[in-house]
Amino acid sequence: MAAHSLSPSLYRLLFAVKYASLHSRCCAVHKKAQYSTIYNPSEKTFEKILIANRGEIACRVIKTCKKMGIKTVAVHSDVDSSAVHAKMADEAVCVGPAPTSKSYLNMDAIMDAIRTTGAQAVHPGYGFLSENKEFAKRLVSYPVMIKASAGGGGKGMRIAWNDEETREGFRFSSQEAASSFGDDRLLIEKYIDNPRHIEIQVLADKHGNALWLNERECSIQRRNQKVVEEAPSTFLDSVTRQAMGEQAVQLAKAVQYSSAGTVEFLVDSKKNFYFLEMNTRLQVEHPITECITGLDLVEQMIRVAKGYRLQHKQEDIPINGWAIESRVYAEDPYKSFGLPSIGRLSQYHEPLNLSNVRVDSGIQEGSDISIYYDPMISKLVTYGATRSEALARMEDALDNYVIRGVTHNIPLLREIITHPRFISGDISTNFLPEVYPDGFKGHQLEADTRRELLASAAALYITAQLRSQRFLGELSPVECNHWELCVELGEQRHVLEITKSGNVYTVEVDGGEVEVSGQWDLASPLLPLTINSTHKMLQCLSRDASGNIVLQYLGTSFQVRVLSKLAAELNSYMPEKVPEDTSSILRSPMPGTMVAVSVKPGDTVAEGQEICVIEAMKMQNSLTAVKQAKVKSVHCKPGDTVGEGDLLVELE
């Protein structure tokens, strides 16, 4: 039937094999006096099938489809518009005039009929196009997924939408696969657009016993690598959950698997699920399953390896509460949702002071994040009796997580878990490109949150100024409690009037009033404040004597400049810095190793043409020209190690 009903490992089989097999089974049943097959109405198949044939075989297929509750589409020539098969079907589409070459063999017309009717599968019957290889290729068409057969973690994986992208994807995927796994073999599968990625945790022993430990929702991904996971899924009902679990256990038993493993599925909007792959190992996201089941999966793996039987039965496996995992990476989320960042963790504090927070990490303050290994810093897990409780704890945990020395993806993680679509469960593997079509830009301030940020920055600035004056003995006998300041945020300048009473600052800004209070420990990276009676956790990333302050607020870093009224007036006379013309230079967007340099001085490159390839953390990235130009100079060669921002190529 349709390619998307098959396991990914079978997608590479030719259409002719699949359709011939189906055709032979149907004919064998047809020759019997009575049908021996039993239709199970609980089995999910297709909603609509197009029959690319006519006459008795078309009628034959339509009969079975009706019995199975499947809608049908008939195709016909203009002289067949009143034929029996055209009337039997739920829909009928004319595909051309009487000659078969212009109708029943007209692939373009039949493909149009498939698209316009929304048919999910095609039954070719016999004759006509049933064994046509070209028709087969058009029905197992783009997009396709190219992936490393020994792969994982999104490495060695590319989506191709045409022949050119297939060739490029093959090159990069095979090189990444060899670099990451020592095996450059690839699989090519049909790519299902806009699905959910839901997986089932299984546990099996060497005595024929196997359990499914519920599901994990893993649809939030970038570059085919998971970013946020949760257990259970908001999407599955108990019937679908059980069906997926039972099939996962059947697979484990069929291959006599023993240990913890994960069976991954793609799930469409109708809760139809399709086998993706089985990972015969411990998954990165296993902690969220441990949270909701109470089982230690590593302990279970060790017991099974020693030969012990499983201690539990299927009815013993609960879903207790909700768990969410955020993968904290040393990555820049503003560059393709996360290009690697390297450096030393100059300051590092995990939010373990909060309840029901788990941090799985292998680093500490002073650890180095290098270009040679995966840039994961930790897995941040929160648990709650309900999903909303787990999400609230994740929000607090991200706000309290202190990471200095490398760029990290906490801004993206916090935006994901607070986004209305995520909160409502309206997600798919395309969540990030759909929500951020122009790339991630950080938290977008509204009028009220902008006032809160400006007021907090001003209060912090005044607190630091007063402390310095006390230290230097410059305070007058009567301490000033009223100030007028200007705060620059982006291209905008805001005038603030501030009044101080004890530890409370009242700030008038942009037509509103904000009250800010706190302990104001300037030595701590965390800045717990009460803003308009609501507790907020900010972080002071940096500040200097010139009034430049970088605050992490709502997960995102904002740079502000606080000036006195006089300084702001004088600053307006300063010449503006001319920005660098980046169209004629190519800088490295990340630290890494040069894999290939495709140009030399004197070459003419077209817009979009590949100039070089850089590898970072086993992932290869093609850098292209932003305009047509002649290459002036090349400052790198294959094998060079480059840093973020290093000049690679100059154009004239």
Side-chain angles (χ1 to χ4, degrees):
M1 301 295 275
H4 74 272
S5 69
L6 300 174
S7 69
S9 61
L10 297 181
Y11 284 138
R12 60 187 183 276
L13 296 180
L14 292 175
F15 161 92
V17 175
K18 292 183 286 187
Y19 279 68
S21 173
L22 173 63
H23 168 64
S24 64
R25 290 197 299 272
C26 290
C27 288
V29 173
H30 184 56
K31 292 177 182 178
K32 295 183 180 179
Q34 294 182 337
Y35 296 125
S36 60
T37 55
I38 300 175
Y39 169 58
N40 181 355
S42 67
E43 292 180 347
K44 295 179 179 179
T45 53
F46 302 99
E47 294 182 358
K48 185 184 291 186
I49 292 177
L50 182 142
I51 297 92
N53 217 300
R54 66 178 302 280
E56 68 84 16
I57 187 58
C59 295
R60 165 69 189 87
V61 175
I62 292 172
K63 288 177 182 177
T64 291
C65 288
K66 287 183 179 295
K67 182 178 70 174
M68 298 178 70
I70 301 172
K71 293 181 179 180
T72 54
V73 179
V75 295
H76 62 83
S77 65
D78 54 4
V79 298
D80 266 351
S81 60
S82 298
V84 175
H85 79 280
K87 293 183 177 181
M88 282 182 65
D90 297 291
E91 299 175 62
V93 179
C94 181
V95 290
T100 57
S101 62
K102 297 181 179 180
S103 53
Y104 295 103
L105 293 176
N106 186 344
M107 284 186 271
D108 289 337
I110 292 175
M111 293 301 296
D112 285 340
I114 294 170
R115 281 188 286 268
T116 57
T117 61
Q120 297 171 314
V122 175
H123 196 303
Y126 53 73
F128 291 137
L129 296 172
S130 63
E131 297 176 82
N132 186 293
K133 292 183 179 180
E134 180 60 29
F135 190 48
K137 291 179 181 178
R138 296 182 68 168
L139 289 166
V140 191
S141 62
Y142 292 110
V144 296
M145 174 71 81
I146 305 169
K147 62 190 294 187
S149 64
K155 296 180 177 66
M157 190 177 293
R158 292 289 192 282
I159 299 168
W161 294 84
N162 52 50
D163 289 351
E164 182 180 350
E165 290 183 4
T166 299
R167 286 189 288 268
E168 184 180 82
F170 179 87
R171 174 165 68 101
F172 286 135
S173 292
S174 59
Q175 291 173 355
E176 286 179 4
S179 176
S180 300
F181 314 112
D183 185 344
D184 64 358
R185 292 178 296 173
L186 302 175
L187 297 174
I188 298 182
E189 314 167 350
K190 180 64 178 176
Y191 174 66
I192 301 174
D193 197 18
N194 211 37
R196 285 176 179 259
H197 184 138
I198 301 177
E199 60 192 28
I200 299 291
Q201 177 72 58
V202 296
L203 183 63
D205 63 22
K206 298 178 181 179
H207 305 278
N209 302 306
L211 303 171
W212 50 277
L213 308 182
N214 302 309
E215 79 277 6
R216 294 186 289 258
E217 172 70 74
C218 305
S219 297
I220 305 298
Q221 303 180 4
R222 55 98 179 88
R223 298 196 302 276
N224 304 302
Q225 190 174 36
K226 302 161 190 172
V227 179
V228 176
E229 303 101 339
E230 61 182 308
S233 169
T234 61
F235 188 64
L236 295 190
D237 53 51
S238 58
V239 174
T240 309
R241 177 180 294 115
Q242 182 172 344
M244 294 175 70
E246 289 176 348
Q247 291 193 27
V249 164
Q250 289 174 15
L251 174 60
K253 287 184 174 180
V255 297
Q256 298 182 330
Y257 184 71
S258 62
S259 191
T262 297
V263 181
E264 300 191 348
F265 297 93
L266 295 180
V267 184
D268 67 20
S269 61
K270 304 296 184 182
K271 293 187 173 66
N272 299 307
F273 54 90
Y274 310 95
F275 171 71
L276 182 60
E277 64 184 7
M278 181 176 182
N279 291 322
T280 54
R281 54 174 167 80
L282 192 66
Q283 291 280 88
V284 172
E285 58 274 17
H286 74 273
I288 54 177
T289 296
E290 294 181 327
C291 287
I292 67 167
T293 62
L295 297 180
D296 184 323
L297 292 182
V298 174
E299 176 187 350
Q300 297 300 319
M301 294 175 77
I302 294 171
R303 291 188 74 261
V304 167
K306 185 61 177 176
Y308 291 112
R309 294 177 180 271
L310 296 182
Q311 297 172 306
H312 304 84
K313 296 182 180 180
Q314 190 61 57
E315 55 267 26
D316 300 329
I317 305 303
I319 297 181
N320 287 330
W322 215 283
I324 298 172
E325 176 179 285
S326 294
R327 299 193 187 190
V328 181
Y329 283 99
E331 292 180 338
D332 186 345
Y334 301 96
K335 297 178 179 178
S336 302
F337 299 112
L339 292 183
S341 171
I342 63 171
R344 177 165 295 174
L345 293 170
S346 58
Q347 200 169 15
Y348 182 76
H349 303 296
E350 297 173 348
L352 296 175
N353 57 310
L354 305 177
S355 62
N356 288 317
V357 172
R358 169 176 169 177
V359 183
D360 286 14
S361 64
I363 51 89
Q364 60 186 2
E365 193 169 292
S367 293
D368 288 317
I369 307 294
S370 75
I371 64 172
Y372 302 108
Y373 305 110
D374 188 271
M376 179 183 283
I377 293 174
S378 73
K379 297 179 300 189
L380 178 62
V381 180
T382 58
Y383 173 79
T386 63
R387 185 172 186 259
S388 58
E389 192 175 291
L391 280 172
R393 285 180 173 147
M394 180 59 73
E395 190 174 337
D396 286 343
L398 290 169
D399 285 343
N400 281 270
Y401 208 144
V402 177
I403 303 173
R404 304 284 190 273
V406 296
T407 305
H408 54 76
N409 67 333
I410 283 180
L412 176 62
L413 295 173
R414 197 184 189 284
E415 286 297 295
I416 290 171
I417 64 151
T418 57
H419 194 279
R421 272 190 57 180
F422 183 84
I423 292 172
S424 68
D426 178 19
I427 61 175
S428 73
T429 55
N430 286 331
F431 177 87
L432 289 179
E434 287 174 357
V435 172
Y436 309 107
D438 300 320
F440 180 67
K441 307 296 183 183
H443 184 81
Q444 302 301 298
L445 294 170
E446 302 290 340
D448 57 341
T449 51
R450 183 181 298 107
R451 284 193 291 266
E452 291 180 0
L453 173 65
L454 295 170
S456 300
L460 177 63
Y461 171 81
I462 293 172
T463 300
Q465 291 289 99
L466 291 175
R467 189 185 69 166
S468 296
Q469 290 172 8
R470 288 193 190 96
F471 180 76
L472 297 173
E474 296 177 353
L475 277 180
S476 61
V478 179
E479 183 175 316
C480 178
N481 64 358
H482 182 80
W483 299 264
E484 287 188 12
L485 297 175
C486 290
V487 181
E488 296 175 350
L489 174 63
E491 300 297 323
Q492 301 296 318
R493 178 176 292 172
H494 306 263
V495 177
L496 289 73
E497 290 194 13
I498 305 103
T499 302
K500 182 177 183 291
S501 176
N503 285 328
V504 180
Y505 292 89
T506 302
V507 183
E508 292 184 13
V509 53
D510 294 348
E513 186 175 277
V514 182
E515 192 174 87
V516 183
S517 62
Q519 295 303 313
W520 305 108
D521 182 359
L522 301 182
S524 172
L526 295 175
L527 194 60
L529 300 179
T530 299
I531 304 176
N532 289 340
S533 302
T534 302
H535 175 73
K536 299 286 182 71
M537 180 61 75
L538 284 71
Q539 294 190 31
C540 181
L541 304 184
S542 67
R543 59 184 178 85
D544 62 27
S546 300
N548 294 300
I549 300 174
V550 180
L551 289 178
Q552 181 175 304
Y553 173 61
L554 302 176
T556 296
S557 298
F558 295 95
Q559 182 167 349
V560 301
R561 188 181 184 192
V562 184
L563 300 170
S564 67
K565 197 171 182 180
L566 175 60
E569 292 174 357
L570 296 175
N571 192 61
S572 63
Y573 296 102
M574 297 293 290
E576 293 186 8
K577 183 179 180 181
V578 179
E580 181 182 40
D581 178 14
T582 58
S583 64
S584 298
I585 58 174
L586 180 66
R587 294 188 182 276
S588 176
M590 73 199 85
T593 302
M594 301 304 304
V595 174
V597 178
S598 307
V599 298
K600 62 182 184 300
D603 287 352
T604 299
V605 294
E607 181 180 353
Q609 180 179 333
E610 180 179 286
I611 292 181
C612 57
V613 177
I614 184 171
E615 181 180 283
M617 278 93 172
K618 308 298 183 183
M619 299 286 286
Q620 294 192 1
N621 301 272
S622 175
L623 306 184
T624 59
V626 298
K627 66 177 183 180
Q628 180 174 330
K630 181 177 288 188
V631 177
K632 179 180 179 180
S633 58
V634 177
H635 300 274
C636 60
K637 63 182 182 300
D640 284 355
T641 298
V642 297
E644 180 179 354
D646 283 1
L647 180 62
L648 304 178
V649 174
E650 292 182 89
L651 304 177
E652 293 183 353

